Amino acid sequence: MTTTEPPPPPPPQPPASATPPEGHGHGHGHGHSHSHGPAAPVSKHLRKVIAAVLIPFAAAVVVGLLVLWPGGTPSHERTGVGFDRQTQSAKVTKVQELPCKDLSPSQTPPNGDTSTAEGRSAQSTATGTCKKATVEVSSGDDKGRTFTEIIQPDSPRQLKQGQQVVVAYEPKAPEGLQYSVTDVNRKFPMALLAGIFALAVVVVGRLRGVMALVALAISFMVLTFFILPAILQGSNPLVVAVIGASAIMLIALYLCHGLTARTSVAVLGTLISLLLIGLLGSLFIGWAALTGNTDDNTGLIHGLYPSIDMSGLLLAGVIIGSLGVLDDVTVTQTSAVWELHQANPTMGWRGLYRAGIRIGRDHIASVVNTLVLAYAGAALPLLLLFSIAQSSVGTVANSELVAEEIVRTLIGSIGLVASVPVTTALAALVVSADRTTGSDAVRAPRGGKGRRRKR
């Protein structure tokens, strides 16, 4: 008969009151404190130091919002030019194809020269097939009114039956010419795309994605209800942009990432970088004599509101445009340093900075490339025009229209590059100082005799 030996007794467990050895509790919680859950909070002393910097800054932003808060967009008499026109919704109810010569019998016949764009357009109009669209106004006081729109064969916008369009209304024009089609109504596809974007953010980001969408909505509210009306009322665009961007930064970062020391370090890094961008922008926009009045839209703004400083408006756009990418860089760098400290709590601030800056170099390369390509993509039609004209690179770069984009890109890129070492150094100093403070300041509760724990 076989006998079963009893299992060996379990190893003795340390008493519940046993104190773990020095070294951040490696004997008890190493597998948990460094690998799971959020980072440990910093010491009370460091929280006080960070609060001493950020609370006055936040208070100054609130005061600036209250002082410069506009009463609304100032009214003006519509010019009927560009975006400053009365518009209504409409629908194309009928489209007929007819010879262009029947629709415009009084037009001068072409001379047969098709070597120019005007000659080709005249030839196409004389011999091609045009469209006669009947359009019904579907909003406003004239709802149900119809008018006719003639579409030339070489027109970039070809209407079709059932299409939703936007029409401009000019009350001073003759009755038959008061309405004209200006654009296609894109509200539904754009709203659908926005809904898909919001759904993707929530599905992937979950609660943090919801907070990001809330922060995005608040950012648009600050832009719509504070920054734009305040500039139109004559406030300094640079001051308005700094205060508005600071408010967006505080709300977005703390709402998305929590009221923590890690987020506060990212806020400080973003603030320092924004100040650098503002300083460089003021210097080089003035030095390069950039007026900010380079196209029809800025010309219309200057005509309606001559008191607006257009070069200041250009600088405000540089600051606001750089803010979104700055937030990404500073949050990423701060998180990288925090995680490095969690992985190796014994690493000093120099080691943390060197490791963090190696991560930041990769981030710099990708972000700067992204920023330059974004501006180049926006200005692609303009660059094509210069290419068609066979202008030299120096001539193209010297024109104000292109020089604005170059200065905007370079200033924003310098701010982004500077944000990496600045934020990394701040984060490394905070976490390393917190480690030293935490190990040197372990004391008994205040109610006792002040006896220190043995080390």
Side-chain angles (χ1 to χ4, degrees):
M1 182 176 65
T2 58
T3 59
T4 303
E5 294 183 1
Q13 299 292 330
S17 60
T19 303
E22 185 68 23
H24 299 273
H26 288 283
H28 175 68
H30 178 78
H32 299 277
S33 60
H34 300 316
S35 301
H36 302 283
V42 298
S43 64
K44 184 182 292 185
H45 173 71
L46 275 177
R47 289 200 299 269
K48 289 182 179 179
V49 172
I50 295 173
V53 176
L54 289 177
I55 289 178
F57 168 64
V61 171
V62 173
V63 171
L65 288 172
L66 294 176
V67 171
L68 296 178
W69 191 267
T73 303
S75 60
H76 67 274
E77 185 178 353
R78 290 186 179 270
T79 63
V81 178
F83 289 103
D84 195 39
R85 290 180 291 184
Q86 298 183 41
T87 59
Q88 301 292 346
S89 300
K91 181 180 180 180
V92 179
T93 58
K94 185 179 179 182
V95 176
Q96 293 177 281
E97 293 189 356
L98 299 170
C100 294
K101 59 182 180 180
D102 293 345
L103 295 174
S104 304
S106 60
Q107 186 175 6
T108 303
N111 55 15
D113 182 13
T114 59
S115 60
T116 63
E118 292 81 2
R120 288 191 294 271
S121 177
Q123 186 72 22
S124 174
T125 302
T127 61
T129 302
C130 293
K131 291 182 179 179
K132 180 180 179 182
T134 303
V135 184
E136 181 180 348
V137 180
S138 55
S139 65
D141 296 336
D142 291 334
K143 183 177 181 180
R145 178 176 171 180
T146 60
F147 65 95
T148 300
E149 185 87 4
I150 304 301
I151 303 100
Q152 301 295 335
D154 58 346
S155 174
R157 183 185 299 113
Q158 297 293 321
L159 301 180
K160 56 185 179 181
Q161 186 172 344
Q163 190 172 28
Q164 301 290 333
V165 294
V166 178
V167 296
Y169 175 62
E170 176 50 62
K172 297 180 181 179
E175 185 175 354
L177 302 175
Q178 288 181 332
Y179 282 97
S180 61
V181 176
T182 60
D183 211 340
V184 175
N185 193 328
R186 304 179 181 90
K187 293 180 180 179
F188 178 74
M190 292 179 65
L192 180 61
L193 183 60
I196 295 173
F197 162 74
L199 181 62
V201 170
V202 172
V203 169
V204 177
R206 298 186 180 179
L207 180 60
R208 184 156 295 187
V210 174
M211 291 295 101
L213 292 177
V214 173
L216 181 63
I218 294 175
S219 299
F220 273 105
M221 290 175 63
V222 173
L223 181 67
T224 304
F225 295 106
F226 172 70
I227 295 179
L228 299 180
I231 292 175
L232 289 177
Q233 284 194 345
S235 299
N236 187 299
L238 176 58
V239 176
V240 172
V242 169
I243 294 175
S246 300
I248 291 173
M249 173 185 65
L250 290 171
I251 294 171
L253 287 179
Y254 283 118
L255 192 61
C256 293
H257 304 285
L259 193 63
T260 63
R262 180 187 301 193
T263 308
S264 299
V265 172
V267 168
L268 289 175
T270 306
L271 174 62
I272 294 172
S273 303
L274 281 178
L275 292 176
L276 176 62
I277 289 174
L279 180 63
L280 289 175
S282 299
L283 175 62
F284 282 94
I285 287 177
W287 195 0
L290 299 176
T291 63
N293 189 1
T294 54
D295 56 21
D296 293 340
N297 295 328
T298 54
L300 178 60
I301 293 172
H302 184 66
L304 294 174
Y305 301 95
S307 61
I308 293 179
D309 180 9
M310 299 303 295
S311 60
L313 187 62
L314 172 63
L315 178 56
V318 173
I319 293 174
I320 295 173
S322 302
L323 178 61
V325 190
L326 273 177
D327 287 352
D328 172 54
V329 172
T330 55
V331 169
T332 301
Q333 286 304 113
T334 305
S335 297
V337 173
W338 242 263
E339 294 302 324
L340 288 168
H341 173 66
Q342 289 291 327
N344 186 2
T346 61
M347 189 183 296
W349 79 267
R350 287 187 179 86
L352 287 170
Y353 176 79
R354 285 195 292 266
I357 206 68
R358 285 195 294 270
I359 299 172
R361 290 190 185 106
D362 293 335
H363 207 181
I364 286 173
S366 61
V367 168
V368 169
N369 194 45
T370 300
L371 190 64
V372 171
L373 290 178
Y375 283 127
L380 198 58
L382 176 65
L383 297 178
L384 282 174
L385 288 177
F386 281 109
S387 178
I388 292 171
Q390 298 181 351
S391 303
S392 65
V393 175
T395 302
V396 172
N398 189 65
S399 65
E400 184 172 1
L401 205 56
V402 177
E404 275 190 8
E405 299 302 324
I406 293 175
V407 170
R408 191 197 311 269
T409 302
L410 294 179
I411 291 174
S413 299
I414 292 172
L416 290 175
V417 171
S419 69
V420 171
V422 168
T423 308
T424 305
L426 285 174
L429 287 171
V430 167
V431 294
S432 60
D434 181 56
R435 179 179 63 83
T436 304
T437 305
S439 61
D440 291 343
V442 181
R443 294 180 173 86
R446 291 187 177 183
K449 299 295 183 180
R451 194 179 82 185
R452 291 176 180 264
R453 180 180 293 170
K454 292 183 179 181
R455 290 192 291 170

